[in-house]
Every structure is written in structure tokens, then in C-alpha cells.
Amino acid sequence: MAKNVIVHITLIAIFIASLFIRIYHLELSPQHLNWDEAALGYNAYSLLTTAKDEYGRFLPLTLRSFNDYKGAIYTYVISVFIPIFGLNEFTIRLPSAIAGSLLVLIAYLWGKKLFSPKVGLFMATSIAFSPYLILTSRTAFEANFALLLLTSGWYLITNKKLQFPGIFLLILSAYTYHSSKLIVPFILFYYLIWTEKKKIT
């Protein structure tokens, strides 16, 4: 019992540290929005105020943007924060910063599930203080948000009681970033085979 308390306290401390690193002066570093971030913010504001993107499409699942057809989920999440914090650099980057911090918890859960709580803490620490993941968390990076949805969804479908929420998160990840569209079908295919094998045995 005492070991579990220590593990949980350590995990909470790692999570708080990762959240602080990702959110502190989020509007200042990196300096200025890049053009993808600006496009996400513009479309988020347009969807919030008119329910249409910059091209007049009603509640789209993909955004034409610069003809790169971004997944729209990240933009919808931004629109939730605009009434609270306004339309600015902080708001546009906030979903990615939160996602990067939550990845710490998912890394712990995967490590604990596959190996042990100690391995889970090691994985959580690696994610929390990875320079690359800190950088991607401090920009409005749809891939960062999609990674959270993908790893969370995959984890949930391994739990019989949480399979449907897991499938939902996997589908959301496919509409967040293009790479997920390639990965999600394989995960769901494996899931179907695994459940069929369990029925047989």
C-alpha cells in the first residue's frame, strides 16, 4: 500500500512538472505563431462564431486551409477555449500543451500494464522531459493531440469495459492528423481478431 502511495505521488509530481514546462509563457515561446497555427486559430474562431470554416463549409471534419486539408478536431478543441481565454497564441497552443502533459499519464499506464509501475514511472519521466515532446507540446501541433487520442484509445480497447470509448478516441485521432488514418485501421483490425480469438477460447 505504501509503495502505491509513493508511486502515485511521484506520478502526480511528474505530471505537474510536465504541465508547468509546457504551459509556462506558452504565448511567448516559441515566438510568434507559424502559419499553420494562425490558420487553426482563424478557423476555430470562424467555427465558433458561424459554425463554418474559412471557406464556408458547415461543421467540416477536414479543413481545406492551405489545400493541405487538416483534420478538424484540434480546431474544434481550440474553439472551446476561445470564450474563456480569447483568441490568442496561448489559446491556440493550449490543447497541444494539455495533450502533451496527459501523454505522461498514458505512458505510465502503458508501462505499468506491460511491465511494472517502476517502468511506468520511467516512461512517464521520459515523456515529461523529452526536449522534442516539450517542443511539439508548445506549438499548435495536431500530431501531438492525435498521439494522445491514439495511445489513449489503444489503451482503452484493451479493457473490456472501456472498448467503445477507446474506439471513439481512435476514430477521433483519425480526424485529427493524417498519419492516424494509416495506423487506426490496423489497430482496429487487430482488436477484431483479438476479440474473436477470445470468443473461441
PDB file of all heavy atoms in Angstrom, residues 8 12 24 30 49 67 82 88 110 128 134 163 187 194:
ATOM      1  N   HIS A   8       2.088   6.888  -6.807  1.00  0.00           N
ATOM      2  CA  HIS A   8       1.073   7.855  -7.233  1.00  0.00           C
ATOM      3  C   HIS A   8       1.517   9.291  -6.967  1.00  0.00           C
ATOM      4  O   HIS A   8       1.283  10.184  -7.800  1.00  0.00           O
ATOM      5  CB  HIS A   8      -0.255   7.565  -6.532  1.00  0.00           C
ATOM      6  CG  HIS A   8      -0.891   6.292  -6.983  1.00  0.00           C
ATOM      7  ND1 HIS A   8      -1.760   5.563  -6.202  1.00  0.00           N
ATOM      8  CD2 HIS A   8      -0.774   5.604  -8.146  1.00  0.00           C
ATOM      9  CE1 HIS A   8      -2.167   4.497  -6.853  1.00  0.00           C
ATOM     10  NE2 HIS A   8      -1.580   4.493  -8.039  1.00  0.00           N
ATOM     11  N   ILE A  12       2.081  12.111  -9.859  1.00  0.00           N
ATOM     12  CA  ILE A  12       1.433  13.427  -9.813  1.00  0.00           C
ATOM     13  C   ILE A  12       2.474  14.537  -9.923  1.00  0.00           C
ATOM     14  O   ILE A  12       2.271  15.525 -10.636  1.00  0.00           O
ATOM     15  CB  ILE A  12       0.609  13.572  -8.513  1.00  0.00           C
ATOM     16  CG1 ILE A  12      -0.603  12.634  -8.542  1.00  0.00           C
ATOM     17  CG2 ILE A  12       0.146  15.019  -8.331  1.00  0.00           C
ATOM     18  CD1 ILE A  12      -1.333  12.526  -7.223  1.00  0.00           C
ATOM     19  N   TYR A  24       3.983  27.226 -19.150  1.00  0.00           N
ATOM     20  CA  TYR A  24       4.608  28.473 -18.685  1.00  0.00           C
ATOM     21  C   TYR A  24       5.056  29.334 -19.863  1.00  0.00           C
ATOM     22  O   TYR A  24       5.821  28.892 -20.723  1.00  0.00           O
ATOM     23  CB  TYR A  24       5.803  28.148 -17.790  1.00  0.00           C
ATOM     24  CG  TYR A  24       6.497  29.372 -17.231  1.00  0.00           C
ATOM     25  CD1 TYR A  24       5.873  30.160 -16.258  1.00  0.00           C
ATOM     26  CD2 TYR A  24       7.759  29.744 -17.678  1.00  0.00           C
ATOM     27  CE1 TYR A  24       6.502  31.276 -15.741  1.00  0.00           C
ATOM     28  CE2 TYR A  24       8.392  30.862 -17.163  1.00  0.00           C
ATOM     29  CZ  TYR A  24       7.761  31.625 -16.202  1.00  0.00           C
ATOM     30  OH  TYR A  24       8.377  32.741 -15.694  1.00  0.00           O
ATOM     31  N   PRO A  30       7.378  29.126 -28.407  1.00  0.00           N
ATOM     32  CA  PRO A  30       8.118  29.866 -29.439  1.00  0.00           C
ATOM     33  C   PRO A  30       7.515  31.256 -29.722  1.00  0.00           C
ATOM     34  O   PRO A  30       6.316  31.460 -29.537  1.00  0.00           O
ATOM     35  CB  PRO A  30       8.000  28.983 -30.681  1.00  0.00           C
ATOM     36  CG  PRO A  30       7.583  27.643 -30.177  1.00  0.00           C
ATOM     37  CD  PRO A  30       6.794  27.891 -28.940  1.00  0.00           C
ATOM     38  N   THR A  49     -18.042  31.160 -34.247  1.00  0.00           N
ATOM     39  CA  THR A  49     -18.976  32.264 -34.477  1.00  0.00           C
ATOM     40  C   THR A  49     -19.982  32.002 -35.590  1.00  0.00           C
ATOM     41  O   THR A  49     -21.082  32.559 -35.573  1.00  0.00           O
ATOM     42  CB  THR A  49     -18.201  33.551 -34.809  1.00  0.00           C
ATOM     43  OG1 THR A  49     -17.319  33.309 -35.922  1.00  0.00           O
ATOM     44  CG2 THR A  49     -17.378  33.999 -33.603  1.00  0.00           C
ATOM     45  N   ASN A  67      -4.875  24.114 -48.679  1.00  0.00           N
ATOM     46  CA  ASN A  67      -5.034  22.949 -49.555  1.00  0.00           C
ATOM     47  C   ASN A  67      -4.264  21.731 -49.032  1.00  0.00           C
ATOM     48  O   ASN A  67      -3.928  20.825 -49.797  1.00  0.00           O
ATOM     49  CB  ASN A  67      -4.587  23.262 -50.989  1.00  0.00           C
ATOM     50  CG  ASN A  67      -5.576  24.162 -51.705  1.00  0.00           C
ATOM     51  OD1 ASN A  67      -6.795  24.088 -51.484  1.00  0.00           O
ATOM     52  ND2 ASN A  67      -5.080  25.042 -52.564  1.00  0.00           N
ATOM     53  N   ILE A  82     -11.635  29.484 -26.665  1.00  0.00           N
ATOM     54  CA  ILE A  82     -11.676  30.893 -27.079  1.00  0.00           C
ATOM     55  C   ILE A  82     -12.589  31.742 -26.185  1.00  0.00           C
ATOM     56  O   ILE A  82     -12.191  32.847 -25.781  1.00  0.00           O
ATOM     57  CB  ILE A  82     -12.072  31.021 -28.560  1.00  0.00           C
ATOM     58  CG1 ILE A  82     -10.938  30.485 -29.448  1.00  0.00           C
ATOM     59  CG2 ILE A  82     -12.376  32.477 -28.919  1.00  0.00           C
ATOM     60  CD1 ILE A  82     -11.276  30.459 -30.937  1.00  0.00           C
ATOM     61  N   ASN A  88      -5.895  34.020 -29.017  1.00  0.00           N
ATOM     62  CA  ASN A  88      -4.511  34.464 -28.902  1.00  0.00           C
ATOM     63  C   ASN A  88      -3.573  33.252 -28.998  1.00  0.00           C
ATOM     64  O   ASN A  88      -4.026  32.107 -29.148  1.00  0.00           O
ATOM     65  CB  ASN A  88      -4.290  35.220 -27.589  1.00  0.00           C
ATOM     66  CG  ASN A  88      -4.825  34.445 -26.392  1.00  0.00           C
ATOM     67  OD1 ASN A  88      -4.485  33.277 -26.201  1.00  0.00           O
ATOM     68  ND2 ASN A  88      -5.691  35.086 -25.600  1.00  0.00           N
ATOM     69  N   TRP A 110       0.613   2.583 -19.767  1.00  0.00           N
ATOM     70  CA  TRP A 110       1.121   1.556 -20.678  1.00  0.00           C
ATOM     71  C   TRP A 110       2.298   0.819 -20.044  1.00  0.00           C
ATOM     72  O   TRP A 110       2.396  -0.416 -20.120  1.00  0.00           O
ATOM     73  CB  TRP A 110       1.541   2.183 -22.002  1.00  0.00           C
ATOM     74  CG  TRP A 110       0.456   2.230 -23.026  1.00  0.00           C
ATOM     75  CD1 TRP A 110      -0.141   3.337 -23.557  1.00  0.00           C
ATOM     76  CD2 TRP A 110      -0.176   1.111 -23.656  1.00  0.00           C
ATOM     77  NE1 TRP A 110      -1.107   2.984 -24.481  1.00  0.00           N
ATOM     78  CE2 TRP A 110      -1.146   1.624 -24.559  1.00  0.00           C
ATOM     79  CE3 TRP A 110      -0.030  -0.269 -23.545  1.00  0.00           C
ATOM     80  CZ2 TRP A 110      -1.955   0.800 -25.345  1.00  0.00           C
ATOM     81  CZ3 TRP A 110      -0.836  -1.099 -24.328  1.00  0.00           C
ATOM     82  CH2 TRP A 110      -1.782  -0.564 -25.212  1.00  0.00           C
ATOM     83  N   ALA A 128       7.763  13.246 -20.090  1.00  0.00           N
ATOM     84  CA  ALA A 128       7.619  14.565 -19.462  1.00  0.00           C
ATOM     85  C   ALA A 128       8.777  15.495 -19.795  1.00  0.00           C
ATOM     86  O   ALA A 128       8.568  16.691 -20.023  1.00  0.00           O
ATOM     87  CB  ALA A 128       7.505  14.413 -17.946  1.00  0.00           C
ATOM     88  N   ILE A 134       8.475  18.251 -25.572  1.00  0.00           N
ATOM     89  CA  ILE A 134       8.181  19.568 -24.982  1.00  0.00           C
ATOM     90  C   ILE A 134       7.967  20.586 -26.103  1.00  0.00           C
ATOM     91  O   ILE A 134       7.029  21.389 -26.071  1.00  0.00           O
ATOM     92  CB  ILE A 134       9.312  20.017 -24.041  1.00  0.00           C
ATOM     93  CG1 ILE A 134       9.340  19.136 -22.791  1.00  0.00           C
ATOM     94  CG2 ILE A 134       9.136  21.487 -23.643  1.00  0.00           C
ATOM     95  CD1 ILE A 134      10.539  19.365 -21.893  1.00  0.00           C
ATOM     96  N   GLN A 163     -14.015  -0.512 -24.131  1.00  0.00           N
ATOM     97  CA  GLN A 163     -13.689  -0.699 -25.540  1.00  0.00           C
ATOM     98  C   GLN A 163     -14.354   0.342 -26.438  1.00  0.00           C
ATOM     99  O   GLN A 163     -13.719   0.871 -27.358  1.00  0.00           O
ATOM    100  CB  GLN A 163     -14.071  -2.109 -25.978  1.00  0.00           C
ATOM    101  CG  GLN A 163     -13.142  -3.170 -25.398  1.00  0.00           C
ATOM    102  CD  GLN A 163     -13.610  -4.580 -25.664  1.00  0.00           C
ATOM    103  OE1 GLN A 163     -14.741  -4.799 -26.082  1.00  0.00           O
ATOM    104  NE2 GLN A 163     -12.739  -5.551 -25.413  1.00  0.00           N
ATOM    105  N   ILE A 187      -4.959  -1.033 -35.911  1.00  0.00           N
ATOM    106  CA  ILE A 187      -5.281  -1.260 -34.500  1.00  0.00           C
ATOM    107  C   ILE A 187      -6.670  -1.897 -34.376  1.00  0.00           C
ATOM    108  O   ILE A 187      -6.865  -2.867 -33.630  1.00  0.00           O
ATOM    109  CB  ILE A 187      -5.222   0.053 -33.700  1.00  0.00           C
ATOM    110  CG1 ILE A 187      -3.791   0.594 -33.671  1.00  0.00           C
ATOM    111  CG2 ILE A 187      -5.727  -0.157 -32.273  1.00  0.00           C
ATOM    112  CD1 ILE A 187      -3.664   1.952 -33.009  1.00  0.00           C
ATOM    113  N   TRP A 194      -8.385 -10.132 -32.120  1.00  0.00           N
ATOM    114  CA  TRP A 194      -8.154 -10.483 -30.715  1.00  0.00           C
ATOM    115  C   TRP A 194      -9.458 -10.840 -30.006  1.00  0.00           C
ATOM    116  O   TRP A 194      -9.521 -11.819 -29.258  1.00  0.00           O
ATOM    117  CB  TRP A 194      -7.462  -9.307 -30.029  1.00  0.00           C
ATOM    118  CG  TRP A 194      -7.154  -9.551 -28.585  1.00  0.00           C
ATOM    119  CD1 TRP A 194      -6.228 -10.400 -28.066  1.00  0.00           C
ATOM    120  CD2 TRP A 194      -7.786  -8.929 -27.454  1.00  0.00           C
ATOM    121  NE1 TRP A 194      -6.226 -10.340 -26.695  1.00  0.00           N
ATOM    122  CE2 TRP A 194      -7.168  -9.451 -26.292  1.00  0.00           C
ATOM    123  CE3 TRP A 194      -8.792  -7.957 -27.334  1.00  0.00           C
ATOM    124  CZ2 TRP A 194      -7.546  -9.054 -25.019  1.00  0.00           C
ATOM    125  CZ3 TRP A 194      -9.162  -7.555 -26.054  1.00  0.00           C
ATOM    126  CH2 TRP A 194      -8.541  -8.095 -24.915  1.00  0.00           C
TER     127      TRP A 194
END
